[in-house]
Amino acid sequence: QVRLVESGGGLVQPGGSLRLSCAASGSIFSINAMGWYRQAPGKERELVATITSGAYTNYVDSVKGRFTISRDNAKNTVYLQMNSLKPEDTAIYYCDANLVTNSGATGRYWGQGTQVTVSS
């Protein structure tokens, strides 16, 4: 009943920019926090950025100053603006949300991921 769909991934040259979007839909009462994770080939999934219901943000050190997470509460959407992209940013990026459904259940939900490739 709850679905998260990412979009905005693609192929970009080093130094370029991309903006990822994640829209949550379904039987959602409220969203507590949302975040972005990524998984590169041969590596474990890592936290990239999070944003809470109070708009507090957190970033992994490797993206600080380059990435910005934001949200549009009216659209149940979280964004990740990625600037000055590097080849090491290449990964599948996943959207994550901690939310409460209309039936009162609290849970964690994931999107299917969107591929970001940084290459010349």
Side-chain angles (χ1 to χ4, degrees):
Q1 294 296 315
V2 176
R3 187 184 183 196
L4 275 64
V5 179
E6 302 99 334
S7 62
L11 174 64
V12 65
Q13 293 185 332
S17 298
L18 286 173
R19 190 181 75 152
L20 306 183
S21 300
C22 173
S25 62
S27 300
I28 300 171
F29 178 75
S30 63
I31 299 177
N32 299 318
M34 303 186 77
W36 289 95
Y37 289 73
R38 67 185 181 186
Q39 187 166 22
K43 292 190 174 183
E44 296 183 351
R45 185 176 299 188
E46 68 169 349
L47 175 67
V48 178
T50 59
I51 185 166
T52 70
S53 59
Y56 290 100
T57 59
N58 188 47
Y59 301 89
V60 67
D61 287 343
S62 61
V63 309
K64 288 180 179 178
R66 300 189 297 121
F67 291 10
T68 302
I69 188 170
S70 61
R71 65 184 182 182
D72 185 334
N73 292 330
K75 297 180 179 179
N76 282 341
T77 300
V78 64
Y79 305 94
L80 185 68
Q81 178 67 46
M82 305 185 295
N83 299 325
S84 301
L85 283 163
K86 304 175 180 179
E88 50 263 44
D89 294 319
T90 296
I92 301 175
Y93 284 71
Y94 298 90
C95 177
D96 161 67
N98 180 275
L99 54 82
V100 181
T101 68
N102 286 329
S103 63
T106 300
R108 189 177 186 181
Y109 296 84
W110 295 86
Q112 287 73 37
T114 184
Q115 177 71 49
V116 172
T117 302
V118 184
S119 177
S120 59

